[in-house]
Amino acid sequence: MKANIFIYRCRVFILLLTLFVFLYDSNLSADVDRYTMARDEMVQYQIRKRGIKDQNVLRAMSSVPRHEFVRKGLWKNAYEDRPLPIGYGQTISQPYIVAYMTELLGVDQESRVLEVGTGSGYQAAILAGIVKEVYTVEIVAPLYQRSQTLLERLGYKNIQIKNADGYFGWESQAPFDAIIVTCASDFIPPPLIKQLKKGGVMCIPVGPPFKIQHLILVKKEMNGEITTQIMASVRFVPLVRDSQKQ
Ligand code: SAH
């Protein structure tokens, strides 16, 4: 009799366990589907419709899980048409701006790219799916640590991160085919111009903190001449300086 009750309890337990695993699993795949759908819509309505054509950029924007780069409480907002807070007074840029700046760089699978302002690591992840190597510099130590852990967990092998003042670029890895600055500076930092390859481009927001700034496309011609072109009005968090962190 006792043995029967035991077997009965075991069966009920296994049944409940199976039910739990099934519900947990279907919840997970519902989550995956939800974010894949949100991402597809983001690419279609915010990016493709506004004129981004570079297939590599569209593919990267469709595949990088943007929600992973913000805190859980903001996952539901991750694919909206706006920047989001990432802590420490910083933001992850609006998806369209990320796509637009990436397209302006005109990079491919041979390129080595420097990013100033790692922030959440999202822009670096987008670039990593397109280019050969990404070097990214972040001045805020906890953001640097968080992005490094996240990018490692997501399996990115071609991104190197440094906790330093990106005003100075990344001298030992220079020159770069392209440089992207994701914080606004009053002027274009001379070390960045120096670290740009001949024939290379830099995309940088220039202007006063928290006011309207200009997104500038800087080109270093093959003869070393520098040309600049204003591409858009933007609003980025400021590039801050820390001479201790070179
Ligand atoms: N590209 C980021 C968004 C960056 S927000 C993303 O995809 O999430 C701008 C970032 O620039 C912030 O994280 C800020 O801390 C960083 N920053 C500001 N001044 C800097 C400097 N001098 N060097 C490196 N990073 C800087």
Side-chain angles (χ1 to χ4, degrees):
M1 188 64 182
K2 266 193 178 159
N4 276 350
I5 291 175
F6 178 72
I7 289 168
Y8 175 75
R9 279 187 180 159
C10 279
R11 279 187 182 156
V12 170
F13 177 73
I14 288 167
L15 198 73
L16 286 175
L17 194 69
T18 316
L19 195 67
F20 173 77
V21 169
F22 172 76
L23 287 175
Y24 183 74
D25 205 52
S26 57
N27 217 350
L28 270 185
S29 40
D31 256 10
V32 170
D33 286 346
R34 181 174 336 132
Y35 293 121
T36 308
M37 267 174 64
R39 203 154 49 239
D40 287 348
E41 279 185 15
M42 172 190 87
V43 170
Q44 181 60 18
Y45 296 108
Q46 300 173 36
I47 295 171
R48 220 186 268 273
K49 254 202 169 147
R50 287 182 183 142
I52 304 295
K53 290 193 175 65
D54 186 323
Q55 288 304 316
N56 289 330
V57 175
L58 294 170
R59 187 178 37 75
M61 298 292 301
S62 302
S63 58
V64 175
R66 182 173 160 94
H67 59 281
E68 297 264 9
F69 294 81
V70 294
R71 69 182 149 81
K72 257 208 163 120
L74 289 175
W75 278 20
K76 60 184 183 311
N77 309 103
Y79 298 95
E80 291 172 3
D81 193 11
R82 58 178 173 121
L84 290 170
I86 54 170
Y88 308 92
Q90 308 303 326
T91 53
I92 177 175
S93 304
Q94 178 192 4
Y96 173 69
I97 288 290
V98 174
Y100 181 57
M101 289 176 81
T102 311
E103 186 173 65
L104 283 180
L105 297 180
V107 284
D108 59 29
Q109 65 274 21
E110 296 302 319
S111 312
R112 295 173 69 252
V113 182
L114 171 71
E115 179 193 24
V116 175
T118 316
S120 67
Y122 179 65
Q123 173 74 71
I126 293 289
L127 282 165
I130 303 173
V131 306
K132 189 170 173 199
E133 285 161 10
V134 181
Y135 297 87
T136 179
V137 185
E138 172 56 55
I139 202 165
V140 176
L143 281 177
Y144 150 77
Q145 270 146 11
R146 200 168 71 194
S147 299
Q148 193 182 42
T149 310
L150 176 65
L151 291 167
E152 207 175 296
R153 177 167 71 74
L154 295 178
Y156 290 96
K157 302 261 186 280
N158 58 343
I159 304 178
Q160 289 199 44
I161 312 186
K162 182 163 93 161
N163 177 214
D165 182 350
Y167 176 92
F168 299 104
W170 196 324
E171 178 93 63
S172 62
Q173 297 295 343
F176 300 98
D177 298 293
I179 299 179
I180 179 168
V181 183
T182 62
C183 38
S185 175
D186 284 329
F187 57 92
I188 304 169
L192 298 185
I193 295 194
K194 200 166 158 237
Q195 291 176 26
L196 196 57
K197 234 184 222 171
K198 282 183 179 158
V201 301
M202 167 164 36
C203 190
I204 176 170
V206 177
F210 304 112
K211 299 227 168 91
I212 296 294
Q213 304 134 3
H214 287 132
L215 189 62
I216 310 258
L217 188 64
V218 182
K219 285 192 181 152
K220 193 185 253 187
E221 306 294 343
M222 292 314 282
N223 62 6
E225 195 190 320
I226 301 296
T227 61
T228 60
Q229 201 181 341
I230 296 178
M231 304 306 295
S233 293
V234 288
R235 195 183 290 229
F236 275 81
V237 293
L239 181 142
V240 293
R241 298 299 317 283
D242 183 350
S243 48
Q244 306 299 308
K245 278 191 168 171
Q246 195 168 342

